Every structure is written in structure tokens, then in C-alpha cells.
Amino acid sequence: QVQLVESGGGLVQPGGSLRLSCAASGSIFSINVMGWYRQAPGKQRELVAHIDSDGNTNYADSVKGRFTISRDNAKNTVYLQMNSLKPEDTTVYYCNAESDYDEYWGQGTQVTVSS
């Protein structure tokens, strides 16, 4: 089992920045990919960005050039640096970890972009 604990959400003005963190514990040796998803009310959960154990990254088109995902393997933590935030980025963000056989989710952290 893997436990994921997110932090760093909050309220920010348009054009501002936030950094989300996700600390993993438990059977972390099994994790291949870690990432961030988001889900707006009434919509499907969508990929924001993910990073594999080799550091390869993938981003949703809507966040390319604004968000950066990184991973600190020594701290078992993945980060999402979000810059140039827009009101449409407002929603709950979820940390995700995948092994060969399982998928794990954090509890979610709210990001609100509003003036």
C-alpha cells in the first residue's frame, strides 16, 4: 500500500503562483509514475501532469508552459509548480501514484484562482 498526502493548495489571484506537494509513504519502492490530476464539478478527472521514475514528464495541453512537475526521490515527494494561474484552473487537484498493479490517490487539495 501507498499513502499520499497533499499540501499547498489555496486561494491565489489570477497570474499568481502556487506549489503543490505530495509526499508518498508505504510501499514506495513499487511506484513507477507519480502525477497530478484535477476534477471540476460535473466533469471527469483529467491528467494535469505526470513524471516517471526516469524523470520523463507529460503535461496536459492546457497547462504546458505554465506548470512544472518535479520529483524528489530522496524525499519521496512530487511537486507541481503552477505559474500564471487562471480562473479556469480552479478545482480540486489530486496526487496519483501508479505501480505495476495498483493505483493510489491522495485526498485532494483545493486550488482557487480568483480576484
Side-chain angles (χ1 to χ4, degrees), residues 11 13 18 22-23 26 28 30 57 61 68-69 71-72 77 79 89 93 96 99 104 113:
L11 173 64
Q13 291 186 340
L18 282 175
C22 174
I28 56 176
S30 66
T57 58
D61 288 342
T68 302
I69 190 169
R71 184 170 177 171
D72 186 334
T77 300
Y79 304 97
D89 295 317
Y93 286 70
N96 170 271
S99 66
Y104 305 93
V113 185

Side-chain angles (χ1 to χ4, degrees), residues 27-81:
S27 302
I28 56 176
F29 61 89
S30 66
I31 297 174
N32 297 322
V33 178
M34 294 189 74
W36 292 93
Y37 288 70
R38 62 188 182 186
Q39 185 171 21
K43 294 188 177 181
Q44 287 189 330
R45 192 170 293 187
E46 63 174 4
L47 173 70
V48 176
H50 65 66
I51 183 168
D52 67 17
S53 54
D54 293 324
N56 299 307
T57 58
N58 187 43
Y59 295 91
D61 288 342
S62 59
V63 306
K64 284 181 180 177
R66 300 189 298 124
F67 292 9
T68 302
I69 190 169
S70 61
R71 184 170 177 171
D72 186 334
N73 290 326
K75 295 182 178 180
N76 304 315
T77 300
V78 65
Y79 304 97
L80 185 68
Q81 178 66 43

